[in-house]
Amino acid sequence: METDLIRTKKNLIKLTAFVLLGNSLMAQAVTTLHNLVGTEGRLPHGQLVQGRDGNLYGTTSPVGSVVANAFRITPTGAYTVLRTFVPNAGSLPPSPSPLMLGLDGNFYGTTTHGNAAGGTLFKMTPAGAVTVLHQFRTVLNDGYSIDNGILRPTPPVQTADGTLYGTTTSGGQNGVGIVYKLTPSGIYSIIHHFVFGVSDGSRPSAPLVVGNDGNLYGTTTIGGQPTASSGTVFRITPGGTIKILHSFNAFTDGGHQPQAPLVKGTDGNFYGTTFGRGDLNAQGNIFKITPAGVYTRLHELDFFHDVSDGAYPSAGLVQASDGIFYGATSRGGVAPGLFANDAGVVFNITKLGLYDVTHTFDKSIDGARPLYSLVQHTNGKLYGTTQFSKTGLVPAGNGSVFSLDVGARPFALAQPSSGKAGGTIGLFGNFTGVTSITFNGIPATSAGVGNTYRTVTIPAGAATGVIKINKPTGSVSGLNTFLVRPVSTSFSPASGKVGTVVALTGKSLSQTTAVTFSNGKKAVFTLVSDNQLNVNVPVGVVTGKISITTKGGTVASATNFSLIP
């Protein structure tokens, strides 16, 4: 309801602009921040990522004699090449993935080629110093990635314990990709080998996403029911247990063969796009899927509307601080005064599927072909890249970086998005004039003096809720609910009969919603303090662990409670 009201407000603004300015389509215009030229790189490669310094970081592709680069660009457009990816002797030029910001403030990514094996998993400092963490194809049945415009190398994701998880497009026991992990101590392992067929996915070409349940979610470009050709959405546990949540059907889903990553919405569901088409009219779609696998088509792109709606979204979505999702299409769109532009569009869509075009790219003004997901900076603006610069530049451009102001509010971003009382997190936002930082109203302490990033300690007594950066002029709120994870320390007595009162101690227990014994029997509990619950042993329990469920998650006791008959 809220997002639809926001959407209505935006349409009223457009209508007002039409009345005042006499323009029938007052979509927001992008600002080209930088056109890449010469050795700055070509074909900006993937979604940008915000660093601790408030700048944006990205990579380019190797094309012809121009090798790939990693770059930094300020929100106002100052562009710096940080790293040039030069191949080893006898190897093809490496193509780097987009970058992922780690918990340590460094960036992580992968490359194709670049060595005699099959590319690398690497770490890069904000200054551009690279450390190779793993060389693909140096262990038995290892994976590797290719970059052919459809299949692309992807960066890993990082869970709260510091472990990296990622996928490769190729390799593995079956030649169609793997899921791997790298522990903080540097131990590399393969947790799943994809199998081409109807019972598994194949050829993943997008990064994984961490769900609220701690599991990993992703997509594959092919595999799955009914013909193994349309791709899947899958869930995999950190231990490697995989489940196919949805197999795309080219004819009934409105699209198939997803190339883009999923994005986790503020509602805990996942949203994404498909690129492929099931018939001559279909040109991709936008969908929602729950963690349990309930799939909903939100909007379909087709031949009859490609000049207005855009077509073939290879980019994923981003949910901005106005609650609306934004994405881009690689083709379609009509610029003012042109019959056929085919340069792509930026669109917006609500959770209910109300779709609108935010900006239509014009080759003569602002470049063309946005292939990768947009990112929202904590200043509220959207940032992205195009594969081609506008026509007529001297020297000719090799792609561009742009910003788009849709009027969304600045926000605070926690990394990671969950934690335990007493632990520390990174907080991104504008700290100029900050007077306090609060977790669901509880004041927290912070370290650092920067205006774009601080290290914050989760305060005792904090509950799952919104983080705020408070200032005399108002507060800047987090985009997502921060999950304060419960801690189970001990319980006493260690054994007892039905009706025995057991004291459970821990942290962040004031947000408890249920206490459950090992066979699923729920117990009546009384909150004593944020550090203690008293529970009555219910009828029908058996010896086993006691679990505490809160708004921030579930935790089980380390030892068993022994039932005395």
Side-chain angles (χ1 to χ4, degrees):
M1 178 65 73
E2 179 182 356
T3 54
D4 296 329
L5 291 175
I6 295 170
R7 171 66 174 274
T8 301
K9 180 179 178 181
K10 292 174 69 177
N11 288 335
L12 288 174
I13 292 172
K14 289 181 181 179
L15 179 60
T16 302
F18 164 71
V19 173
L20 294 177
L21 301 177
N23 192 330
S24 62
L25 184 62
M26 289 303 298
Q28 292 94 333
V30 305
T31 298
T32 300
L33 298 177
H34 187 74
N35 286 294
L36 281 66
V37 295
T39 58
E40 288 182 336
R42 302 188 68 176
L43 307 181
H45 199 76
Q47 184 175 12
L48 301 171
V49 61
Q50 181 178 341
R52 289 182 176 183
D53 57 4
N55 296 316
L56 296 158
Y57 293 76
T59 56
T60 64
S61 305
V63 180
S65 61
V66 180
V67 296
N69 292 327
F71 65 86
R72 176 180 66 234
I73 187 168
T74 68
T76 54
Y79 184 94
T80 304
V81 173
L82 298 174
R83 176 79 181 188
T84 298
F85 290 90
V86 179
N88 294 334
S91 298
L92 294 172
S95 179
S97 72
L99 301 172
M100 181 275 297
L101 180 68
L103 299 174
D104 58 1
N106 294 311
F107 300 94
Y108 294 80
T110 63
T111 66
T112 64
H113 311 302
N115 59 34
T120 64
L121 169 63
F122 67 87
K123 175 178 71 174
M124 186 185 80
T125 69
V130 168
T131 301
V132 173
L133 304 177
H134 175 71
Q135 292 191 353
F136 291 109
R137 300 188 77 179
T138 56
V139 301
L140 182 64
N141 293 322
D142 202 1
Y144 64 96
S145 289
I146 61 176
D147 187 353
N148 62 7
I150 297 176
L151 300 175
R152 299 173 286 203
T154 61
V157 296
Q158 191 171 38
T159 52
D161 64 358
T163 302
L164 300 176
Y165 294 86
T167 62
T168 68
T169 64
S170 307
Q173 289 179 346
N174 308 297
V176 291
I178 64 168
V179 181
Y180 65 84
K181 78 173 184 179
L182 184 73
T183 68
S185 60
I187 299 174
Y188 176 88
S189 61
I190 299 169
I191 63 174
H192 182 69
H193 293 270
F194 287 102
V195 180
F196 178 73
V198 297
S199 61
D200 198 1
S202 304
R203 303 286 190 190
S205 186
L208 299 169
V209 178
V210 183
N212 288 342
D213 56 5
N215 293 316
L216 304 157
Y217 293 78
T219 60
T220 63
T221 58
I222 58 175
Q225 299 280 356
T227 61
S229 62
S230 294
T232 68
V233 178
F234 66 88
R235 178 180 66 227
I236 187 168
T237 67
T241 301
I242 194 167
K243 178 177 176 60
I244 301 300
L245 298 178
H246 182 75
S247 292
F248 287 96
N249 186 304
F251 298 99
T252 61
D253 281 347
H256 68 149
Q257 295 179 343
Q259 296 182 13
L262 301 170
V263 63
K264 183 176 66 175
T266 54
D267 58 2
N269 295 315
F270 299 96
Y271 296 79
T273 63
T274 61
F275 181 84
R277 62 186 187 183
D279 55 52
L280 293 178
N281 295 325
Q283 296 179 340
N285 82 331
I286 301 149
F287 65 87
K288 176 181 78 171
I289 189 167
T290 70
V294 179
Y295 176 89
T296 303
R297 292 185 294 176
L298 296 179
H299 183 76
E300 296 176 17
L301 300 167
D302 60 65
F303 172 79
F304 301 104
H305 300 93
D306 64 349
V307 294
S308 59
D309 283 3
Y312 301 121
S314 62
L317 304 172
V318 58
Q319 186 176 24
S321 53
D322 59 4
I324 297 174
F325 293 91
Y326 292 84
T329 67
S330 61
R331 306 293 292 268
V334 172
L338 298 178
F339 174 72
N341 186 46
D342 202 31
V345 307
V346 173
F347 63 83
N348 65 79
I349 186 168
T350 70
K351 290 188 290 187
L352 296 180
L354 295 177
Y355 181 96
D356 193 16
V357 172
T358 303
H359 175 78
T360 299
F361 286 93
D362 186 336
K363 298 175 185 178
S364 66
I365 298 175
D366 51 24
R369 303 284 170 84
L371 298 186
Y372 297 95
S373 305
L374 305 173
V375 62
Q376 187 183 28
H377 192 283
T378 52
N379 65 16
K381 294 181 180 180
L382 302 175
Y383 292 82
T385 61
T386 63
Q387 291 291 283
F388 305 108
S389 296
K390 72 175 184 177
T391 56
L393 290 177
V394 179
N398 299 320
S400 71
V401 181
F402 66 86
S403 67
L404 177 60
D405 189 350
V406 295
R409 65 174 175 85
F411 63 98
L413 178 66
Q415 185 194 37
S417 58
S418 65
K420 299 174 182 178
T424 59
I425 63 163
L427 190 63
F428 296 78
N430 186 342
F431 292 91
T432 303
V434 61
T435 56
S436 67
I437 299 169
T438 55
F439 283 67
N440 207 24
I442 305 297
T445 59
S446 65
V449 294
N451 289 328
T452 58
Y453 175 86
R454 301 282 176 93
T455 299
V456 184
T457 300
I458 304 169
T464 293
V466 176
I467 300 175
K468 291 185 177 182
I469 302 172
N470 302 300
K471 307 178 182 183
T473 55
S475 62
V476 178
S477 301
L479 180 59
N480 296 294
T481 298
F482 183 83
L483 303 177
V484 178
R485 302 292 189 186
V487 175
S488 175
T489 304
S490 63
F491 60 86
S492 179
S495 61
K497 298 181 178 181
V498 171
T500 300
V501 176
V502 179
L504 308 179
T505 59
K507 295 180 181 180
S508 306
L509 303 183
S510 59
Q511 54 180 347
T512 299
T513 58
V515 176
T516 309
F517 282 74
S518 61
N519 59 346
K521 292 290 183 178
K522 291 187 176 181
V524 176
F525 67 90
T526 302
L527 177 65
V528 178
S529 69
D530 192 53
N531 299 320
Q532 183 179 336
L533 299 171
N534 287 345
V535 299
N536 292 82
V537 179
V539 174
V541 303
V542 297
T543 294
K545 290 179 170 55
I546 305 174
S547 296
I548 303 171
T549 298
T550 75
K551 295 178 180 178
T554 299
V555 63
S557 59
T559 59
N560 289 338
F561 173 80
S562 298
L563 181 69
I564 300 175

